[in-house]
Amino acid sequence: MPAMTAVDADARAGAGTPGEAVGPLVRGVAVLRRLTEAGGTLSPSALERATGLARSTVDRITGTLGRMGYVRLDGRDVVLTPRVMELGNAYLAALRLPALLDARADALADELDESVSLAVADLDGIRFIHQATRRRALSVSFRIGDLLPAERTAPGALFATEWTEQDWTRWRERRAEDAQDASFPAIPPSAEPTNDSSSTSSKPSAPGSSPGSRADSFTERVERARRDGWAVDDQLIEPGLVAVSVPVRDPGTGRVACVASVVSHTSRHSAADLRTSLLPRLRTAVRAMETDLRTAPAPEPGPAPAGLATWTTASKHELGRDFVESLARGLTVLTAFGEGRSALPLTEVARATGLSRATARRALLTHEHLGLVTARPDGTFALTPRVLDLGFPPLSRTTLPRLAEPHLRALADAVREPTALAVLTSDGKEIQYTAGAGTSRVLTVRIAVGTRLPATATSLGRVLLADSAAPLSPTLTEVRSQGYALVDEELESGLRSIAVPVRDRTGRTVAALNVSTHAARRTLRDVVADLLPALHATAARIQQDLHTASRFTHVPPS
């Protein structure tokens, strides 16, 4: 079955759960899935209703997830944090396809000025592993990790050309149980009045017609895809949306490794136009992708996580019953996988996590039951695309300001001074404020998001300019050398501010973070002694989230 929704029997570790399964892990995964389906935010009472768990159980689970950095409390709400993306990152790193193919997909999107996606099979559905989306008022809203039913997509028809009879049986059972596609929250409900497989006509629907009014059956589209080697989505998901897809084949097995798609809408391209104008260029890009797969060197195993078992034990000793150790240990098992570690035997999982073989085995069996791990004939285990269900989609479209906001609020509360995040404008002459957090002081700095100021007159601007490759002035040379900028009453009388850089995964400065104060409250020495350490610590936390979130997704700086 695809994604589990609503009240989940697994959340209660009830009927159908293997006897060796770890109940708290089952319930914790259910909480992460409900948060994901809700867009990343739910109140504890809403989680209680969605999972069927007792409120005390929800509180212990969210407290444990909070300790792991996977959620945070924002007022009365539980909110997913970028750190939870490390679970999906483990799957994507083990898969390798995004790292090997995303540059080709991005280049094709730039060439065609259309959205391009890569998708893999997830049982009888398809799941996106990369999205190169055009920024338009009318654009595609799919996210990495979103799950779609195979029969309402072009990639689904291509994957189904390799289905076994067991796969077709699973698909028919799912269609019978979920005719409205309620288990696929990423798409509108199906309006199809009859079972898709019972239809016989192959005539495409008129542009703008309801997806449910399409008369051509999925089985017929699968046969056309088998014959043609490509497939078209002519408004299967919703009126106006069209796509053309081509399989990317594994050079070793010849089977479909993933599917590349160009996605548009009927005001730009008709379904017929996709075939004539976009399909040839998509095929060229796919041939290049298959060459990349064939010539890619064997992956070097990345560093395995370290000290996880020790950390969970220490957390249990500190927090007592409020920390669900079996949940934390079960989730850390997923992070044992990664680049060069796509399939691991039990002994390697135990070694990577520091867990005993018995503990690692029970966690793997539980994940296998939940569809997150698959056991292979050679005795190894591998992650499945369903790991992306655990928080990835709602966070895959985050921005740096959104990511930084909770850290800015925490910093402002800690130092009782306003904080701000800014980026350099394209001409390099001004800064633009992208996020901020204020205080309750009577005399305080209030600069609205979007405000622009001269870069050379602000601490934020000087930090950003100091990262430039151009020859630097003595002032900017000093800023680069010391790692921060201190401005004393240059922008406005009485205003002092200190700023530090925020760096991306490559070490490049992409934004600057500052704290401002009044000259009567802190001397220059106090500003450096009291505020700079807190600034550096906050910048480090923002960078950690940025590095996690941007490993397989693009995080815009503004």
Side-chain angles (χ1 to χ4, degrees), residues 73-397:
L73 292 179
D74 187 356
R76 296 182 177 180
D77 290 331
V78 179
V79 182
L80 292 173
T81 68
R83 179 135 184 213
V84 77
M85 296 177 76
E86 72 180 14
L87 301 175
N89 284 345
Y91 164 72
L92 294 172
L95 184 66
R96 292 192 78 202
L97 293 177
L100 294 175
L101 306 182
D102 62 358
R104 297 284 187 188
D106 294 345
L108 181 63
D110 290 339
E111 176 191 351
L112 301 179
D113 193 27
E114 298 288 355
S115 295
V116 173
S117 67
L118 300 175
V120 294
D122 188 351
L123 298 182
D124 58 344
I126 68 119
R127 197 178 292 270
F128 294 112
I129 59 169
H130 182 72
Q131 288 281 353
T133 304
R134 300 296 88 186
R135 280 193 164 188
R136 296 196 183 99
L138 188 62
S139 62
V140 178
S141 62
F142 290 133
R143 307 159 302 182
I144 296 175
D146 276 340
L147 178 69
L148 277 62
E151 69 275 8
R152 291 178 65 181
T153 70
L158 292 164
F159 286 120
T161 62
E162 299 179 343
W163 279 5
T164 64
E165 185 54 41
Q166 182 182 7
D167 295 324
W168 282 104
T169 299
R170 180 193 300 115
W171 173 73
R172 293 187 186 97
E173 290 175 349
R174 190 259 298 165
R175 290 286 296 150
E177 294 174 6
D178 184 20
Q180 301 303 310
D181 296 332
S183 55
F184 297 89
I187 60 171
S190 173
E192 187 175 291
T194 59
N195 188 295
D196 186 63
S197 62
S198 65
S199 178
T200 57
S201 171
S202 61
K203 294 180 181 179
S205 60
S209 63
S210 165
S213 68
R214 298 187 60 86
D216 55 327
S217 72
F218 181 50
T219 52
E220 290 171 344
R221 286 190 283 114
V222 171
E223 289 308 310
R224 286 201 298 273
R226 192 192 313 276
R227 181 191 66 224
D228 299 338
W230 53 273
V232 167
D233 168 359
D234 185 5
Q235 307 175 81
L236 289 167
I237 294 173
E238 68 178 12
L241 184 67
V242 292
V244 60
S245 300
V246 173
V248 180
R249 298 194 176 274
D250 184 293
T253 65
R255 293 178 62 83
V256 180
C258 67
V259 170
S261 303
V262 179
V263 186
S264 188
H265 57 83
T266 52
S267 296
R268 292 176 59 85
H269 293 281
S270 66
D273 187 37
L274 292 178
R275 176 180 178 178
T276 57
S277 64
L278 301 185
L279 179 59
R281 284 181 280 183
L282 175 57
R283 279 177 156 165
T284 299
V286 165
R287 284 194 292 270
M289 291 179 184
E290 292 175 337
T291 298
D292 291 341
L293 293 182
R294 187 168 56 253
T295 59
E300 291 290 335
L308 296 175
T310 303
W311 178 86
T312 58
T313 299
S315 297
K316 181 65 174 179
H317 287 161
E318 179 182 344
L319 300 178
R321 69 179 306 275
D322 290 332
F323 183 78
V324 188
E325 188 175 15
S326 57
L327 167 58
R329 289 187 165 187
L331 290 176
T332 62
V333 162
L334 299 177
T335 65
F337 300 85
E339 186 173 4
R341 304 192 310 276
S342 60
L344 297 174
L346 173 59
T347 53
E348 289 298 321
V349 173
R351 182 180 297 116
T353 57
L355 300 173
S356 68
R357 281 175 53 92
T359 299
R361 177 177 174 275
R362 289 193 66 199
L364 288 168
L365 289 175
T366 304
H367 288 313
E368 184 180 12
H369 165 67
L370 296 173
L372 302 172
V373 164
T374 183
R376 296 187 169 187
D378 62 358
T380 62
F381 296 87
L383 301 182
T384 75
R386 196 144 304 185
V387 174
L388 294 172
D389 265 346
L390 307 183
F392 209 92
L395 293 167
S396 67
R397 289 284 182 89

Side-chain angles (χ1 to χ4, degrees), residues 465-477 480:
L465 291 171
D467 193 54
S468 170
L472 302 179
S473 67
T475 298
L476 294 181
T477 299
R480 175 181 283 185

Side-chain angles (χ1 to χ4, degrees), residues 331-513:
L331 290 176
T332 62
V333 162
L334 299 177
T335 65
F337 300 85
E339 186 173 4
R341 304 192 310 276
S342 60
L344 297 174
L346 173 59
T347 53
E348 289 298 321
V349 173
R351 182 180 297 116
T353 57
L355 300 173
S356 68
R357 281 175 53 92
T359 299
R361 177 177 174 275
R362 289 193 66 199
L364 288 168
L365 289 175
T366 304
H367 288 313
E368 184 180 12
H369 165 67
L370 296 173
L372 302 172
V373 164
T374 183
R376 296 187 169 187
D378 62 358
T380 62
F381 296 87
L383 301 182
T384 75
R386 196 144 304 185
V387 174
L388 294 172
D389 265 346
L390 307 183
F392 209 92
L395 293 167
S396 67
R397 289 284 182 89
T398 193
T399 63
L400 181 55
R402 191 180 309 161
L403 181 152
E405 282 170 358
H407 300 292
L408 296 181
R409 291 197 300 269
L411 176 60
D413 291 343
V415 300
R416 298 195 64 240
E417 300 285 6
T419 70
L421 189 78
V423 296
L424 204 60
T425 57
S426 57
D427 60 9
K429 295 180 179 180
E430 294 180 311
I431 60 165
Q432 183 172 7
Y433 285 80
T434 57
T439 66
S440 58
R441 291 185 182 273
V442 175
L443 182 61
T444 188
V445 178
R446 288 189 177 88
I447 300 178
V449 170
T451 298
R452 294 189 177 198
L453 293 174
T456 56
T458 64
S459 61
L460 292 162
R462 290 180 185 178
V463 164
L464 292 164
L465 291 171
D467 193 54
S468 170
L472 302 179
S473 67
T475 298
L476 294 181
T477 299
E478 182 182 15
V479 170
R480 175 181 283 185
S481 174
Q482 65 189 15
Y484 68 90
L486 178 62
V487 170
D488 182 26
E489 302 188 74
E490 294 184 35
L491 184 67
E492 183 175 332
S493 297
L495 179 62
R496 287 175 175 160
S497 68
I498 187 168
V500 297
V502 175
R503 303 184 187 277
D504 64 11
R505 292 177 62 86
T506 68
R508 182 175 62 94
T509 297
V510 292
L513 170 70

